């Protein structure tokens, strides 16, 4: 992990955790809002990589996002 403030924002924005408001609506990561366009592009690229790894490790080929969506649909 880096001590670079930009890298720390990117790592926070890449994480799967998202807060929800009182109505259950998912809120954007505060770190995402603090990033430049270049930083947001870096987040997007890392999230794509993360989803590939998650799908490769899951017995059903699902990402964490896909599992979370399916869980909410039940």
């Amino acid at each position: 992990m880096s001590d670079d403030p930009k890298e720390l924002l990117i790592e926070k924005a890449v994480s799967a955790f998202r807060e929800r408001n009182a109505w259950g609506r998912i809120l954007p990561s505060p770190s995402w809002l603090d990033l430049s366009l270049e930083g947001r592009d870096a987040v997007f690229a890392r999230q794509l990589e993360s989803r590939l790894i998650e799908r490769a490790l899951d017995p059903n080929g699902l990402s964490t996002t896909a599992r979370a969506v399916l869980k909410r649909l039940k």
Side-chain angles (χ1 to χ4, degrees):
M1 182 154 233
S2 171
D3 289 334
D4 177 22
K6 177 183 163 190
E7 285 297 316
L8 292 173
L9 286 174
I10 290 170
E11 286 301 317
K12 288 179 183 178
V14 169
S15 77
F17 176 76
R18 295 292 180 264
E19 292 189 37
R20 294 179 183 265
N21 66 15
W23 298 276
R25 183 172 182 221
I26 298 171
L27 302 174
S29 167
S31 299
W32 171 265
L33 300 173
D34 290 339
L35 284 166
S36 65
L37 182 59
E38 177 185 81
R40 291 177 180 185
D41 285 342
V43 168
F44 179 73
R46 288 193 197 174
Q47 286 177 330
L48 289 178
E49 291 172 359
S50 295
R51 298 308 175 266
L52 289 172
I53 294 168
E54 291 170 3
R55 289 175 38 215
L57 294 173
D58 185 79
N60 296 316
L62 298 174
S63 68
T64 303
T65 303
R67 285 195 315 270
V69 169
L70 291 172
K71 184 177 178 181
R72 289 183 61 88
L73 292 174
K74 289 184 180 181

